[in-house]
Amino acid sequence: MKTEKEKMLSGENYFSNDKELSLDRNKAKKLLHKLNITEYLMNGNARNILKELLPNTHKRIYIEPPFHCDYGYNIQLGEMVYFNVNCVVLDA
């Protein structure tokens, strides 16, 4: 039987309050808080946060905080991507 995360990733109906998915969203929220509140400028610390939040993206991206997403790991970006202020990516 598939996990709720596997169902989500394959585009099937899934239970979003599943423990694993809730933990993943909470991790993303904590990283987003660091990016959007603590750092707020694109510097070395912000880039380290983005590496953890967006592991499937190229390292040469630029995001103007605040930025919002559900999980982060579902986002795939190529090189030289720019997200302007208040970008929201629903990556469920």
Side-chain angles (χ1 to χ4, degrees):
M1 179 183 265
K2 287 184 177 182
T3 66
E4 298 304 312
K5 185 173 183 174
E6 289 170 333
K7 290 178 190 175
M8 177 190 71
L9 294 173
S10 67
E12 299 175 42
N13 289 333
Y14 65 95
F15 180 62
S16 64
N17 285 335
D18 173 72
K19 185 177 180 179
E20 180 182 18
L21 292 175
S22 293
L23 289 171
D24 286 353
R25 280 192 311 276
N26 286 338
K27 179 182 177 184
K29 285 180 184 181
K30 289 176 184 178
L31 291 169
L32 288 164
H33 183 270
K34 286 181 186 178
L35 178 70
N36 294 333
I37 305 299
T38 307
E39 293 306 322
Y40 206 72
L41 298 173
M42 193 53 54
N43 57 29
N45 291 335
R47 291 193 187 290
N48 289 332
I49 293 166
L50 287 175
K51 273 192 242 180
E52 188 173 352
L53 179 65
L54 308 172
N56 298 311
T57 64
H58 194 279
K59 66 180 181 177
R60 292 182 64 193
I61 61 171
Y62 192 91
I63 295 177
E64 289 281 356
F67 170 67
H68 304 279
C69 64
D70 296 319
Y71 299 96
Y73 54 70
N74 293 323
I75 300 171
Q76 297 181 11
L77 301 172
E79 187 176 4
M80 303 295 289
V81 172
Y82 174 82
F83 284 172
N84 209 341
V85 177
N86 284 320
C87 179
V88 177
V89 178
L90 303 176
D91 65 313

